[in-house]
Structure formats: structure tokens, C-alpha cells
Amino acid sequence: MKKYLLPQNGNYYKANLHTHSTVSDGGYTPEQFKAFYKEMGYSILCLTDHDLFVTHNDLTDDDFLMLNGCELGIDGPWDDFAKRNGVAKVCHINVIATSPDMETPICWHRTKYVPSYCEHNRKLVKVDERVPDYEREYSGKGISEIMRIARENGFFVIYNHPTWSCEDYSDYMNYENMHAFEIMNSTCICGGYEEHNERVFDDMLRGGKKLFCIGADDAHGKIPMGMCYVMVNAQKLEYKTVMESLMKGDFYSSEGPEIKNLYYEDGKVTIETSDAEEIRFSMGFRVAKRFKANENETLNTATFELPKTDFPSYVRVTVTDKYGKHAYTNAYFTEDFK
């Protein structure tokens, strides 16, 4: 029986889920960013200004959806790592509201955490005065607690740019309760960082975490814009419907290649794509498969036969075009194929 890993029905909407406007340290207003992304063929944009959860429902129209979110920052200590490298570790988390009716922040503090360059916009945040100030802690326990609170309050939780943050296996393996993480981040890539984080994805999946992978611009200005994005499959361009698709993992991430079909049938996973140079299947143990286009030809489909084992694993696919641009599927767990 054929099991579609990406939905066959519904529509694909191009989305950027990480953007900073003039509400914090971005170079353009929310209205300008909407215009830029709409012109580039996007249908969805989320403004995730630093520690300022400000809604932008007024910018949604019939063919463009604004999601509401913010980026929470947790600064690490000035410890031996910081002294050796001249910079402390940080953890940045995007939290995206699953409903347009959500208006109040989580893990908020009335005097801390908002960066000095956007302190003047603290007044834009609608604070629930009944909720006490929240003290953030940079530790596995502290960050997992922030992620848990965000989830329980109806936010989609994304762990951002681990490479830029100077975080490694000893850090992110202690983080629980995220829905997704950034497998690629345009601003970091353009800034010289190796922010294609396939190894981080496999580390966390092999460590027992079930999570999705996100591509995002982290845009602050026009450069970079439209580089890394998510293609969300949803029945309609409506806030709660789109967020339900994100929560289910009905999307893939790309910086160019298109994934047209992805399904499991008779012990095999098949992918159909736009013109590709390489298609690579990865699993949770020492099994993988690489398909390469012949010279002067393109690759548009590949089928990978899963090994027969008694223990659970996962499979995910990376597509690379002739320009070196990638598309990443989410991970699909073999226990769900039975």
C-alpha cells in the first residue's frame, strides 16, 4: 500500500519563518518586508523580532498570510569556553503562535532580555500583568523548560542556527520539547558560517528526538532574502490551517530544488524532484544511498529500498541541484510505515 509522506492534495505555500523588522534590529518595516516577500512569490511570512512578541494580523490579506512570533534569546555564561574564544554561547529559539488570537508573550521579563537596540518597543508587547517575571537559565534544563512552556501555551518551537550560536553536541542534545530546528539559515550562510546542519539533525534524531527541519532567511534586510525557505502543504492559506500543517510536518525545506512527490511503498521510499544533480537517502544507522546524475543529464526521481531490520530507524532525503543548492525532507520513522 502506498503511503504518501508529503500530502498529495492541498496546496504548497512558500514561507519564511524567521525575519527581523524595524520592531527590533531589522532594516525594513513589517509592511516593507511583506511587500518584498510577496513580490518574490512567497505566501507566508513570520516576523520573529528579538524578544518582542508583536502581532501583525492586520497585514494578512486574501493571498498573503502573516504569522505571529518572536525570537527568544538565552545568553550563556562568560565561562572557560567564552574566555578561550572571545564569545559566549547563546541559544536562540523562535516561537510561532498557532492561533492569530494569541497576543501575550511567554517567558517574559519586564526589565530583562529585550536588547537595548529595541528597548523602546517594549511597550508594543501586550503583557498579562497577572503573570510574574520569568528568569531564563542557560542550561539544558533551563532551555528545555522554556521550550516546554512555549509548547504548552500553543507555540510552535524552533531551535535556531546552532553553528552561529557556537553550540555543539554537548549543548543541543540536552534540549527537549522543540518541534523543529533550523537545518539552514540564509543570514548565517552568507555570513560565512557552515549553517547547513545535517549532522546536527542526525545527532538529534539518533539521540531519540523526533523533530522537523526548517530552512529560513533570518532576514534583517534585503540581503539575504528568498534564499532558504519552507514549502508548506495546506488545504488553504488560513492561519490555523497552515499552523496545523507545520505541526504535522507537512512541509519540506529548500534553497532551490523542488520536491514534487515523496512516498513509501513495498519497503521502498521514492522521491520525485525538479532537475537534480544528486539525491541522497540517509538513515539513523550505517545505511545510506547516493544517486548521481549522469554527465549531461539530470536526475528527477530515485527509489531507495529500506533494509529489513527489527529495530526502528528513520529515513530522510537531501536533494542537490547543479548549482549546489539543497532541499531537505523531514525525517520519517520506519515504525510508522508498518
Side-chain angles (χ1 to χ4, degrees):
M1 181 177 177
K2 184 178 290 187
K3 177 183 177 67
Y4 287 100
L5 306 180
L6 286 170
Q8 279 290 283
N9 51 15
N11 306 294
Y12 274 102
Y13 300 106
K14 194 173 184 179
N16 181 40
L17 303 180
H18 191 168
T19 317
H20 298 281
S21 74
T22 49
V23 173
S24 60
D25 61 342
Y28 296 99
T29 65
E31 292 81 3
Q32 288 173 314
F33 266 124
K34 173 187 173 178
F36 293 147
Y37 275 95
K38 195 169 184 178
E39 185 177 357
M40 291 189 295
Y42 283 67
S43 300
I44 303 168
L45 179 65
C46 185
L47 297 179
T48 51
D49 282 300
H50 292 287
D51 281 295
L52 296 170
F53 179 60
V54 179
T55 61
H56 301 281
N57 297 323
D58 58 310
L59 295 181
T60 291
D61 58 40
D62 290 342
D63 56 359
F64 198 86
L65 174 65
M66 294 291 290
L67 300 177
N68 301 318
C70 73
E71 185 173 31
L72 306 180
I74 306 96
D75 294 334
W78 194 259
D79 55 9
D80 289 342
F81 175 92
K83 292 173 183 176
R84 282 195 306 271
N85 296 283
V87 64
K89 294 184 178 184
V90 297
C91 181
H92 284 190
I93 304 166
N94 274 353
V95 294
I96 302 176
T98 54
S99 168
D101 302 325
M102 297 164 59
E103 295 186 324
T104 57
I106 50 98
C107 301
W108 176 258
H109 196 288
R110 288 163 179 78
T111 60
K112 296 181 178 181
Y113 308 129
V114 174
S116 58
Y117 48 74
C118 52
E119 178 67 39
H120 61 289
N121 282 328
R122 187 187 286 269
K123 62 182 181 296
L124 299 177
V125 179
K126 295 182 180 180
V127 181
D128 185 344
E129 297 298 339
R130 298 168 298 177
V131 178
D133 287 339
Y134 186 89
E135 297 283 347
R136 301 176 190 175
E137 175 187 311
Y138 184 85
S139 68
K141 179 181 177 181
I143 290 165
S144 297
E145 177 72 1
I146 292 170
M147 292 180 176
R148 180 192 66 78
I149 291 170
R151 284 181 75 121
E152 290 183 356
N153 281 272
F155 287 89
F156 184 74
V157 181
I158 307 169
Y159 170 50
N160 295 340
H161 46 60
T163 301
W164 179 90
S165 299
C166 293
E167 294 199 306
D168 56 32
Y169 186 94
S170 66
D171 303 304
Y172 54 72
M173 288 307 294
N174 292 311
Y175 300 160
E176 303 293 340
N177 306 312
M178 67 184 79
H179 290 100
F181 94 110
E182 285 185 343
I183 197 165
M184 53 183 170
N185 179 299
S186 304
T187 291
C188 296
I189 293 168
C190 290
Y193 297 89
E194 182 44 64
E195 205 71 69
H196 282 278
N197 292 302
E198 285 194 71
R199 179 58 186 268
V200 176
F201 197 21
D202 285 323
D203 280 345
M204 291 197 282
L205 291 168
R206 288 168 179 160
K209 303 180 191 299
K210 289 192 174 184
L211 72 163
F212 308 127
C213 64
I214 297 287
D217 274 342
D218 194 357
H220 291 68
K222 279 191 174 181
I223 300 175
M225 284 177 56
M227 179 175 163
C228 299
Y229 52 88
V230 168
M231 296 298 294
V232 185
N233 184 289
Q235 291 298 316
K236 56 183 177 179
L237 190 63
E238 184 267 341
Y239 199 114
K240 290 185 179 180
T241 303
V242 166
M243 289 309 303
E244 286 171 1
S245 292
L246 286 172
M247 296 286 281
K248 289 188 295 183
D250 289 343
F251 62 88
Y252 68 89
S253 299
S254 184
E255 55 180 350
E258 178 186 356
I259 297 176
K260 299 181 178 182
N261 207 355
L262 182 67
Y263 60 89
Y264 170 83
E265 185 178 30
D266 298 332
K268 302 173 183 178
V269 174
T270 297
I271 191 169
E272 298 170 4
T273 71
S274 57
D275 290 349
E277 184 75 15
E278 177 182 299
I279 297 174
R280 179 163 42 82
F281 293 82
S282 304
M283 295 195 72
F285 52 100
R286 199 169 291 133
V287 174
K289 183 74 173 180
R290 175 177 176 262
F291 295 84
K292 181 78 172 176
N294 294 324
E295 188 175 358
N296 299 322
E297 295 181 3
T298 58
L299 190 63
N300 295 98
T301 187
T303 297
F304 174 59
E305 184 169 1
L306 302 181
K308 293 179 174 60
T309 63
D310 294 328
F311 54 89
S313 186
Y314 65 86
V315 60
R316 62 178 187 83
V317 192
T318 303
V319 181
T320 307
D321 67 15
K322 65 180 181 180
Y323 304 106
K325 301 297 184 181
H326 302 83
Y328 301 103
T329 72
N330 285 313
Y332 299 93
F333 292 84
T334 55
E335 61 199 51
D336 298 327
F337 296 158
K338 298 177 181 178

